Amino acid sequence: MAEQKATNITWHEGNVTREEREKNLGQKGCTLWMTGLSASGKSTIAVALEQVLLQRGKHAYRLDGDNIRMGLNKNLGFSAEDRTENIRRIGEVAKLFADAGMVTITSFISPYRKDRDAVRALHDAAKIPFIEVHIDLPIEEAEKRDPKGLYKKARAAVAAGKGMGFTGVDDPYEAPEKAELVVPSHKQTVAECVQVLLDALEKRGLLKA
Amino acid sequence: MAEQKATNITWHEGNVTREEREKNLGQKGCTLWMTGLSASGKSTIAVALEQVLLQRGKHAYRLDGDNIRMGLNKNLGFSAEDRTENIRRIGEVAKLFADAGMVTITSFISPYRKDRDAVRALHDAAKIPFIEVHIDLPIEEAEKRDPKGLYKKARAAVAAGKGMGFTGVDDPYEAPEKAELVVPSHKQTVAECVQVLLDALEKRGLLKA
């Protein structure tokens, strides 16, 4: 070993714990997992929640289609197998972010119950809070919104006998049976939806270390 | 839309930017990518660096074999194809952590130059600082250390005509040609290695927002 030159460094053996990171951040790491139909409002609510948390000096990060499907999961399609692997990877990454102490907000349709339950189990095993949030917009309302024309396209594909495996049209959406929160996004403003999530974080003591 | 009930929420349209998150955290997001032979000291240096940053109230997170190979990448083996996909996924996740404002420290052998260059390109495209750190221990020194007996095992496998695709023995390690930092871990103490990395972060203005 060479002579000790650096003098302003000290550390003890072993890894930094999640608790130490959380104390440093002034909050507790957790995953808010939003699930719901296309056009139910998941992303809108996620963006608004992230912003409010930031305004309060808290630290949040969103995992969504834009930063996952174009990057980490760009080698996955929409077969049942690929959908499962998609959610598995997102669940693992959400867990890492929560372990880092962040309020992690995910907004993916995540239509299959077993896939969401696997993510929950992953968090449970690591003792990381997992809050499943069902953004509960009825399919009729989602089809009325249809901001990207996807439902229309899916209905046309089914009518033409082709199908496109679109959630709620010709691929199942399995609603959560025991979600921590159910948010009917057609009966509440975005601000009210966000308030429900904030209250849930506060009630669980996650916004302080 | 329902009546506005929540009153303590305001936000503007659009996403929170990386700059806003960084201001909130008091630092800039970046990726410190350590590469080097097995037993070169990557993990030891990563653990120590994380701890020193935390002591200074900074926010860091380590991606390493323990939290990646057991989780996100548990469905990958050690074929050349799987090694590439392993590093690709880690690179994408490191980029997300850096985008979240964290000092992201990775410690993987990452033996192939093209895989590391792909991770660098990913960061460059997003204008996220990427610092490649070659933990430069000569193979003879690494074999002397051999804390897990892996080199011995690999040499025995090769001698028996079987081989195990072990980096530096019967799988190539392609040293970086233009790493931002080269750290000869046999000529410096761990504290000195950490100081070199800290200096690099400070010099680039990454430890303030």
Side-chain angles (χ1 to χ4, degrees):
Chain A
M1 279 294 195
E3 172 199 10
Q4 171 74 37
K5 283 184 190 147
T7 53
N8 59 346
I9 290 173
T10 54
W11 68 87
H12 57 81
E13 283 299 315
N15 300 350
V16 170
T17 65
R18 184 159 86 238
E19 288 65 32
E20 289 173 297
R21 282 192 292 270
E22 292 176 337
K23 200 175 159 197
N24 220 17
L25 286 162
Q27 62 182 44
K28 293 195 183 77
C30 60
T31 294
L32 263 180
W33 187 279
M34 292 200 266
T35 171
L37 293 169
S38 180
S40 59
K42 300 180 298 300
S43 293
T44 305
I45 295 166
V47 166
L49 175 62
E50 182 189 21
Q51 206 137 41
V52 172
L53 286 169
L54 195 90
Q55 285 167 357
R56 298 183 178 192
K58 297 301 162 190
H59 310 285
Y61 194 65
R62 284 185 305 113
L63 300 175
D64 65 18
D66 281 350
N67 60 15
I68 295 292
R69 277 275 181 197
M70 315 275 271
L72 178 65
N73 291 355
K74 70 178 177 187
N75 54 1
L76 298 175
F78 291 89
S79 67
E81 191 183 37
D82 275 10
R83 282 178 189 255
T84 291
E85 173 67 4
N86 182 50
I87 297 303
R88 187 192 72 79
R89 289 189 201 166
I90 294 162
E92 293 280 2
V93 173
K95 183 190 148 194
L96 293 176
F97 269 93
D99 182 52
M102 304 291 275
V103 175
T104 313
I105 309 166
T106 70
S107 50
F108 297 88
I109 297 174
S110 45
Y112 304 149
R113 197 173 293 132
K114 71 169 172 40
D115 295 345
R116 297 191 306 265
D117 286 350
V119 176
R120 177 189 291 275
L122 201 63
H123 283 72
D124 285 353
K127 296 195 168 68
I128 294 175
F130 179 81
I131 304 171
E132 189 176 12
V133 184
H134 183 195
I135 307 298
D136 188 17
L137 186 72
I139 181 103
E140 305 76 37
E141 298 286 336
E143 291 213 46
K144 258 188 252 169
R145 293 184 177 184
D146 204 12
K148 298 174 196 164
L150 293 172
Y151 285 98
K152 200 176 167 191
K153 206 171 153 190
R155 292 285 177 205
V158 169
K162 288 184 294 191
M164 56 185 257
F166 193 77
T167 299
V169 176
D170 59 344
D171 209 65
Y173 178 74
E174 301 172 357
E177 289 168 341
K178 286 177 280 187
E180 276 74 11
L181 297 171
V182 179
V183 176
S185 54
H186 54 311
K187 295 184 183 164
Q188 294 181 309
T189 62
V190 173
E192 288 170 330
C193 296
V194 169
Q195 188 64 55
V196 168
L197 302 185
L198 276 178
D199 289 348
L201 292 171
E202 262 163 15
K203 197 182 101 186
R204 287 167 175 78
L206 299 171
L207 298 184
K208 59 186 182 215
Chain B
M1 279 295 192
E3 173 198 8
Q4 170 73 36
K5 282 185 192 147
T7 54
N8 59 347
I9 290 174
T10 54
W11 68 88
H12 59 79
E13 283 299 314
N15 300 352
V16 170
T17 64
R18 185 160 86 237
E19 288 67 29
E20 289 173 297
R21 281 192 293 268
E22 290 176 338
K23 202 175 158 196
N24 220 19
L25 286 162
Q27 63 182 45
K28 293 196 183 75
C30 60
T31 294
L32 263 181
W33 187 280
M34 291 200 267
T35 171
L37 293 169
S38 179
S40 60
K42 300 180 299 299
S43 295
T44 305
I45 295 167
V47 166
L49 175 63
E50 182 189 23
Q51 205 138 42
V52 172
L53 286 169
L54 195 91
Q55 285 167 357
R56 297 182 178 193
K58 297 300 161 189
H59 310 285
Y61 195 65
R62 283 185 306 113
L63 300 175
D64 65 19
D66 282 349
N67 60 16
I68 294 292
R69 278 273 181 197
M70 315 276 272
L72 178 65
N73 291 356
K74 70 179 176 186
N75 53 2
L76 297 175
F78 291 88
S79 67
E81 192 182 38
D82 276 8
R83 281 177 189 254
T84 291
E85 173 67 3
N86 181 49
I87 296 304
R88 187 193 73 79
R89 289 189 201 165
I90 294 163
E92 292 281 1
V93 173
K95 183 190 147 192
L96 293 176
F97 269 93
D99 183 52
M102 304 291 275
V103 175
T104 313
I105 308 165
T106 70
S107 50
F108 298 88
I109 298 174
S110 46
Y112 303 150
R113 198 173 292 132
K114 72 170 172 38
D115 295 346
R116 296 191 308 265
D117 285 350
V119 176
R120 177 188 291 275
L122 202 64
H123 283 71
D124 285 354
K127 296 194 169 68
I128 295 174
F130 179 81
I131 304 171
E132 189 177 12
V133 184
H134 183 196
I135 306 298
D136 188 18
L137 186 72
I139 180 102
E140 305 74 39
E141 298 286 336
E143 292 213 44
K144 257 188 255 169
R145 293 185 177 183
D146 204 13
K148 299 174 195 163
L150 293 171
Y151 284 99
K152 199 177 167 189
K153 206 170 153 190
R155 292 285 176 204
V158 169
K162 288 185 293 192
M164 57 185 257
F166 194 77
T167 299
V169 177
D170 59 344
D171 208 67
Y173 177 75
E174 300 171 356
E177 289 169 342
K178 286 177 281 189
E180 275 74 10
L181 297 171
V182 179
V183 176
S185 55
H186 54 311
K187 296 185 183 164
Q188 294 180 308
T189 63
V190 173
E192 288 169 331
C193 296
V194 168
Q195 187 65 54
V196 168
L197 303 185
L198 275 178
D199 289 348
L201 292 171
E202 262 163 13
K203 196 183 103 187
R204 287 166 174 79
L206 299 171
L207 297 184
K208 58 188 183 213

